[in-house]
Amino acid sequence: TSDGSYWVWIPRYAYSITSGYHTSTAGTIEVEFLKDKTNVSTTGRTTYQNASGQGNWNIHPAFYYDGDSTTGTQLAGFWVAKYEMSMEKSGVATTTSSASIGNVAISSTIKAVSKPGVGVWEYIAFSQAFNNCLLYDSNNLNNANLDSHLMKNIEWGAITYLAYSKYGRNGTQIAINAEINVNNWSATCYAGGTSGATAHTNVLQSTTGNCYGIFDMAGGHWAMVAGLLQSAVSTYLGNADSKYYDAYTGYDASVYGDAIYETSATNNADNAWYKNISYPFNHSGGNSGPIYERDGGHNVNRSGIFAFLGYDGSSGVPTAFRVTLWNE
């Protein structure tokens, strides 16, 4: 886009988990793309269960932008930032090494961009990141047809299932961020995997295994998403429009498409697919809280696109974020 950011299109699709449902063993996910905003798949399928369960065919709920599979506004797809967001001040890449630098609003001089090879924007509170993403379009693109927001948990799920399918990595794990540092939690995380990276380096860290995929989905630092306990919404998001976040009552068997319950065996262990970390909201010990963060952070053996953890939304930890765009 005009600000130099890179984006990837996630097209509307239906999916079925045909093995490994609600286990720690990575199973199989089948995907059929849907035509435009319709429910007609590439195979001609028009009947869907739209319910959690192995073998069910579901129109992925990320393509109903206000969350209702029956009456919600339907999307032909959505745009996702190719890289975790980075900060630019007056056009210069800026490393956010503390909350005093990172926990700020975007403005005419402070921009959030999706570019490779620079330090990602960290040490920002969940509420501030949420607001920055809502303002991204008006501050960066000035396109009235786009609707920018912090990536929702359900959108993380849509990317994950597509990446895992034969249209992505076909069951192969995404490589962990090359600069992950187990012994230094506060080490700078670089978009695209390494300092100075381009779309043509570290390609095994992308969701497609080549330069066309999405990077920074496994390892690096944890990535916050707009998914939180219903009881915490007013505290963190005030009266924000509900279409911009996913609200949960807990580790919910009825929720599908978000790569949480469907692709993990329990909610208090390393029991997501590929033994990714799978800890719930408000878990005991460490940084915990009512908001989901994804990808596994610096935990090398537990990181990946299926990882999830509850955190407290503070700016005191190096948690990254990503913008997604709806073209309504």
Side-chain angles (χ1 to χ4, degrees), residues 148-211:
S148 64
H149 56 282
L150 175 65
M151 178 185 284
K152 297 169 64 177
N153 197 43
I154 200 68
E155 291 169 336
W156 182 281
I159 296 164
T160 294
Y161 288 1
L162 186 57
Y164 187 81
S165 77
K166 66 181 181 181
Y167 299 107
R169 303 302 296 273
N170 199 24
T172 300
Q173 291 191 69
I174 295 173
I176 299 297
N177 185 296
E179 293 203 350
I180 201 167
N181 190 327
V182 178
N183 297 315
N184 186 0
W185 169 247
S186 62
T188 299
C189 176
Y190 290 93
T194 49
S195 178
T198 71
H200 299 280
T201 55
N202 306 317
V203 293
L204 295 183
Q205 294 177 38
S206 87
T207 54
T208 54
N210 56 39
C211 66

Side-chain angles (χ1 to χ4, degrees), residues 236-312:
Y236 289 91
L237 301 181
N239 60 354
D241 192 320
S242 61
K243 70 181 181 180
Y244 293 123
Y245 61 84
D246 303 312
Y248 292 81
T249 57
Y251 182 67
D252 191 343
S254 69
V255 177
Y256 61 94
D258 62 354
I260 298 288
Y261 185 89
E262 291 183 316
T263 55
S264 64
T266 67
N267 65 340
N268 197 26
D270 298 337
N271 276 329
W273 283 12
Y274 293 125
K275 295 296 183 181
N276 284 180
I277 188 170
S278 55
Y279 278 80
F281 299 118
N282 297 325
H283 60 281
S284 60
N287 185 47
S288 64
I291 300 164
Y292 269 137
E293 53 183 2
R294 307 300 302 259
D295 101 7
H298 69 308
N299 303 297
V300 175
N301 297 322
R302 306 153 78 189
S303 294
I305 57 175
F306 294 101
F308 61 90
L309 184 75
Y311 101 110
D312 64 6

Side-chain angles (χ1 to χ4, degrees), residues 32-45:
E32 295 178 357
F33 294 110
L34 303 175
K35 179 177 175 60
D36 300 323
K37 297 182 180 181
T38 75
N39 296 341
V40 179
S41 82
T42 46
T43 66
R45 186 188 308 276

Side-chain angles (χ1 to χ4, degrees), residues 111-127:
K111 302 287 188 181
V113 295
S114 168
K115 298 180 180 181
V118 292
V120 303
W121 190 332
E122 304 165 310
Y123 294 101
I124 182 171
F126 172 73
S127 298

